[in-house]
Amino acid sequence: MLKSKTVFFHKLEIGMSESFSKKIREQDIEIFGKVSSDFNPVHFNKEFAKKTIFKKPIAHGMLSASFISALIGERLPGNGTIYLSQTLKFHRPVFINQEVKTTVTIEKILKEKKQVTLDCNCKVNNIIVISGSALVLAPSN
């Protein structure tokens, strides 16, 4: 679980970064499927998954991507941050019991709009599985 903090806009600097890791468990996939209503058999059915390029069930790509949202909303910039946009590229699948390390790093600060661009990535075994960029409105006190 992430410990919440907020870095207010005036204290943000290019290069600031936050990371956290989470192991994907079968129950995480089940819960995410229920919340998102995505019951694609590639996530749940071992026999179906055997016939795919992955050969076994994979986690929802958006489950791993949601860790980016968690970091932005809980750590950098933190509580009160508003998402404006997010781009994502899915490079590799994430399988059950793999640990996903998610990192967000400040790339650009637009002072006049209080907007921040963050480089975002998720890695498994130090290999990128998701990359992207987020534009957020940072909280100010």
Side-chain angles (χ1 to χ4, degrees), residues 42-93:
V42 75
H43 307 302
F44 299 99
N45 184 314
K46 290 178 184 175
E47 292 306 310
F48 181 91
K50 280 182 188 177
K51 298 173 189 170
T52 70
I53 60 172
F54 307 117
K55 304 300 181 205
K56 57 185 177 179
I58 60 171
H60 301 77
M62 294 306 289
L63 171 58
S64 297
S66 73
F67 302 152
I68 295 169
S69 177
L71 264 178
I72 289 171
E74 294 292 325
R75 290 266 186 90
L76 187 64
N79 294 174
T81 299
I82 305 297
Y83 250 110
L84 299 175
S85 68
Q86 174 80 60
T87 62
L88 296 170
K89 183 173 181 182
F90 298 89
H91 300 269
R92 299 177 185 278

Side-chain angles (χ1 to χ4, degrees), residues 27-39 44 60:
Q27 71 183 35
D28 298 321
I29 295 169
E30 291 170 9
I31 292 167
F32 192 85
K34 289 177 185 173
V35 169
S36 67
S37 297
D38 180 351
F39 298 103
F44 299 99
H60 301 77

